[in-house]
């Protein structure tokens, strides 16, 4: 709904139609993004990222910054514009991926084999800018905005799970999860209520066969042949067992086995991901993968 002055409202929070953000904040947002991109850290190793973000937030006069979920941070910005007990969380992840950067930009990763290839550097810098802007304009709104800089979005043990276990969402009325999208035109913001992206689980499997000479494969059990069959069969969970309107993606992303030209592999390892849009489909897929 709208106020007479044209500002939208939601649950007691006034959201202006346009927001003037100090140019200095935007400059620091870019500075933060490029620093994080240059110095990426993998899941559950974000110690320097945590320290840097804490320093940058504190440098803007923000106090009560607390460590959460391992190498994460949380800070509450409390509005003084009017009394309100409403709380909204804004979550941004901060970890990088095990990918070698080849972009050639001047702020490219200096950590070999590690890169912010999923945009978490942008997420963290945007959350930083929001925290600073809200801190400077806290007299203009009522209620609390909790900024959560979440570690370990890409790998286990999950930082998101620890955020929940530590109670950071227990007193929250609504939460906003931020993610960049290269398919959305620059300057546009896509917003949706409820789940927007898919839950992601990882799996590992070991195929144990029996090694044999490549000239006599019938004397062994070819683990590579079995593994290849498994890759094909896993896709049938999606194509033949799940409603096509129910989102599900099963991907085998790694396969390793065998080390000689003339030996049938006796062991092969597989790894992959399951991305699902509902709890029921997630649980059903896990049962089928195990089967």
């Amino acid at each position: 709904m709208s106020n007479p002055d044209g500002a939208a409202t939601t649950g007691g929070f006034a959201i202006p139609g346009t927001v003037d953000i100090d140019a200095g904040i935007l400059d620091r947002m870019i500075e933060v993004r490029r620093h994080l991109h240059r110095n990426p850290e993998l899941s559950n190793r974000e110690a320097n990222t945590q320290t840097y973000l804490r320093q940058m937030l504190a440098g803007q006069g923000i106090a009560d910054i607390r460590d959460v979920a391992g190498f994460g941070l949380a800070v509450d910005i409390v509005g003084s514009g009017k009394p309100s007990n409403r709380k909204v969380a804004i979550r941004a992840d901060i970890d990088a991926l095990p990918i070698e950067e080849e972009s050639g930009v001047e702020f490219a990763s200096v950590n070999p084999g590690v890169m912010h290839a999923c945009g978490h550097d942008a997420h963290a810098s945007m959350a930083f800018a929001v925290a600073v802007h809200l801190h400077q304009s806290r007299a203009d709104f009522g209620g609390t905005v909790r900024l959560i800089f979440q570690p370990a979005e890409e790998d286990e043990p999950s930082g998101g799970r620890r955020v929940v276990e530590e109670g950071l969402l227990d007193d929250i009325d609504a939460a906003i999860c931020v993610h960049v999208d290269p398919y959305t035109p620059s300057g546009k913001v896509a917003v949706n209520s409820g789940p927007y992206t898919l839950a992601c689980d990882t799996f590992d499997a070991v195929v144990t066969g029996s090694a044999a000479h490549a000239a006599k494969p019938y004397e062994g059990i070819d683990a590579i042949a079995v593994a290849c069959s498994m890759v094909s069969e896993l896709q049938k969970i999606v194509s033949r067992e799940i409603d096509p309107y129910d989102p599900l993606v099963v991907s085998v992303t790694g396969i390793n086995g065998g080390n000689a030209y003339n030996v049938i592999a006796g062991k092969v390892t597989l790894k992959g991901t399951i991305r699902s849009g509902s709890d029921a489909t997630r649980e059903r897929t896990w049962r089928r993968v195990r089967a």
Side-chain angles (χ1 to χ4, degrees), residues 11 13 34 38-40 46 56 74-75 80 94 101 106 110-111 117 133 170 178 180 193 195 216 234 257 277-278:
F13 281 87
R34 293 187 175 186
R38 186 180 293 113
N39 300 277
E46 308 96 331
M56 294 299 291
V75 59
S80 58
I94 64 174
E101 180 161 10
E106 62 180 15
V110 298
N111 295 337
H133 173 72
D170 288 353
V178 179
V180 292
S193 178
K216 298 181 178 181
L234 286 171
S278 69

Side-chain angles (χ1 to χ4, degrees), residues 8-9 40 73 76 100 121 125 138 168 180 204 228 237 245 256 286:
T9 62
L73 294 172
D76 288 356
E100 187 72 32
D121 52 339
S125 60
R138 56 192 182 280
L168 289 169
V180 292
D204 294 274
C228 289
I237 299 175
Y245 291 100
N256 185 47
W286 266 115

Side-chain angles (χ1 to χ4, degrees), residues 221-233:
I221 299 175
D222 190 343
I224 289 179
V226 175
C228 289
S229 296
M230 288 176 61
V231 173
S232 297
E233 291 301 313

Side-chain angles (χ1 to χ4, degrees), residues 203-252:
F203 66 86
D204 294 274
V206 178
V207 179
T208 302
S210 178
H213 195 284
K216 298 181 178 181
Y218 54 87
E219 292 183 352
I221 299 175
D222 190 343
I224 289 179
V226 175
C228 289
S229 296
M230 288 176 61
V231 173
S232 297
E233 291 301 313
L234 286 171
Q235 299 312 306
K236 294 179 183 177
I237 299 175
V238 179
S239 65
R240 291 297 180 265
E241 300 184 22
I242 301 296
D243 187 327
Y245 291 100
D246 187 359
L248 177 68
V249 182
V250 178
S251 300
V252 176

Side-chain angles (χ1 to χ4, degrees), residues 52-68:
Y52 174 77
L53 288 171
R54 173 185 285 280
Q55 292 173 344
M56 294 299 291
L57 290 166
Q60 300 303 309
I62 297 175
D64 299 324
I65 307 165
R66 57 192 188 275
D67 295 349
V68 299

Side-chain angles (χ1 to χ4, degrees), residues 64-258:
D64 299 324
I65 307 165
R66 57 192 188 275
D67 295 349
V68 299
F71 291 117
L73 294 172
V75 59
D76 288 356
I77 309 296
V78 182
S80 58
K82 62 180 180 179
S84 174
N85 62 357
R86 301 298 299 276
K87 289 186 179 181
V88 169
I90 299 176
R91 167 268 193 189
D93 37 18
I94 64 174
D95 54 333
L97 285 164
I99 295 175
E100 187 72 32
E101 180 161 10
E102 300 177 355
S103 68
V105 297
E106 62 180 15
F107 49 89
S109 171
V110 298
N111 295 337
V114 185
M115 178 190 177
H116 270 296
C118 197
H120 298 185
D121 52 339
H123 304 166
S125 60
M126 289 188 288
F128 162 81
V130 169
V132 176
H133 173 72
L134 291 177
H135 175 69
Q136 294 182 359
S137 59
R138 56 192 182 280
D140 298 335
F141 70 95
T144 300
V145 179
R146 177 170 296 162
L147 282 301
I148 301 173
F149 297 85
Q150 179 207 303
E153 192 273 340
E154 299 287 1
D155 202 359
E156 293 285 352
S158 165
R161 187 180 303 113
R162 279 174 286 170
V163 164
V164 174
E165 291 171 349
E166 292 178 16
L168 289 169
L169 302 181
D170 288 353
D171 56 348
I172 294 298
D173 295 293
I176 301 170
C177 178
V178 179
H179 209 297
V180 292
D181 180 5
Y183 301 104
T184 299
S186 179
K188 299 292 185 180
V189 178
V191 181
N192 190 51
S193 178
Y196 187 74
T197 56
L198 303 183
C200 181
D201 295 293
T202 60
F203 66 86
D204 294 274
V206 178
V207 179
T208 302
S210 178
H213 195 284
K216 298 181 178 181
Y218 54 87
E219 292 183 352
I221 299 175
D222 190 343
I224 289 179
V226 175
C228 289
S229 296
M230 288 176 61
V231 173
S232 297
E233 291 301 313
L234 286 171
Q235 299 312 306
K236 294 179 183 177
I237 299 175
V238 179
S239 65
R240 291 297 180 265
E241 300 184 22
I242 301 296
D243 187 327
Y245 291 100
D246 187 359
L248 177 68
V249 182
V250 178
S251 300
V252 176
T253 57
I255 182 168
N256 185 47

